[in-house]
Amino acid sequence: MILQNGVIAPDFKLYATPDQKLQLSELRGKRVILAFYPADWSPVCGDQMALYNEMLKYFHKYNAEIIGISVDSKWCHLAFEESRNLHFPLLSDFEPKGLVAKMYGAYNDDEGQSRRALFVIDEAGVIQWSYLSPEGINPGADGILDALEKMSNVNS
Amino acid sequence: MTNLWRTVSENDQITGNPASSITLVEYGDYQCPHCAHAHPLVKRLLAERGTVFLFVFRNFPLQKIHPAAFMAAAAAEAAGRQGSFWAMHDFIFENQKKLMVKKLPEFAAALELNMEQFLLDLESDDIKNKIESDFESGIRSGVNATPTFYINGEKLTYDTTYESLLKAIDLH
């Protein structure tokens, strides 16, 4: 089972570019959307990462940053980001393979890749919402926005 | 995660039968090949069942992968200001292979629109806001790819075939 709300999001540090790592705790004070996904290069129009890429301003409205995570290598991510013109970090859960996905309960042992799982983490690093999408289904972004909106209402 | 977030209103682009109790909403992107594939299917559906349902098109341009999608949406909306939304909508999908932002005035000229007005509307904030509001209603409704269809507010399982659309209408 994936980690549920109320749990402190396990910290990690992974490559975001070929020479730079990103640590989750560096983003404390902001909300973070973690989007685990199986693999780069999904062919469908409006695929999950392309969709999130269109939504950055909506996420920013809620003080949230989005991060994609898969087991693809940093060079693979770089090529994928360039090809899709992505403007948010893709982290490489590459060595040890899938370790972060495993910490979040989002690893698929049979396929050797992440499941499609979403986590919304609050400013203090606590998971406020999580969702495991059925295999092969792009979960879209409505659940993320609903979660962010709910958190804002609670805060105010 | 499958329900239409914004109800159909007078701000929407509609065709078919407005008095019908069946409403089919499409979220589409003018530069998306899957939407171009769906376009003649919807046209056929309107030809065969247009008296029994209302069709609504909402804009869902994926701008980062489709650089002309947003302005194409603006062109259709601008044409709509001159009563030619559906003419431009059809024209763009039917000429998707030639679609580029700089070609849009040619498209408008082909439809014999008032060019001065068209160019003014194409850049207007009103139209930009309309497209963004369509897009936002799409993400809130759980649109995860284009095209995504909703029948009476519920997400439709569209498998790229005409039959899947026809069945949805006939079952309602």
Side-chain angles (χ1 to χ4, degrees), chain B residues 77-99:
Chain B
E77 295 289 340
R81 295 289 171 92
Q82 299 183 42
S84 296
F85 174 82
W86 294 104
M88 182 61 94
H89 173 92
D90 292 351
F91 196 89
I92 297 172
F93 276 131
E94 283 155 19
N95 292 280
Q96 193 188 55
K97 288 195 172 71
K98 289 188 275 181
L99 176 59

Side-chain angles (χ1 to χ4, degrees), chain B residues 2-15 23-32 35 42 54-62 69-70 72-74 76-77 85-86 89 93 127-143 145-155:
Chain B
T2 53
N3 290 324
L4 194 62
W5 190 70
R6 194 181 82 198
T7 51
V8 174
S9 79
E10 60 193 13
N11 293 325
D12 279 306
Q13 298 294 355
I14 62 169
T15 185
T23 303
L24 181 69
V25 176
E26 175 184 356
Y27 281 91
D29 169 326
Y30 286 104
Q31 214 174 358
C32 162
C35 296
V42 171
L54 175 71
F55 180 65
V56 179
F57 184 85
R58 288 181 179 167
N59 299 295
F60 201 79
L62 294 169
F70 190 93
E77 295 289 340
F85 174 82
W86 294 104
H89 173 92
F93 276 131
I127 281 179
K128 281 194 185 83
N129 293 339
K130 155 88 167 62
I131 297 167
E132 282 177 6
S133 146
D134 278 1
F135 184 84
E136 191 166 5
S137 79
I139 49 184
R140 299 306 299 253
S141 305
V143 171
T146 50
T148 294
F149 292 94
Y150 293 82
I151 182 124
N152 286 0
E154 231 177 87
K155 198 185 265 188

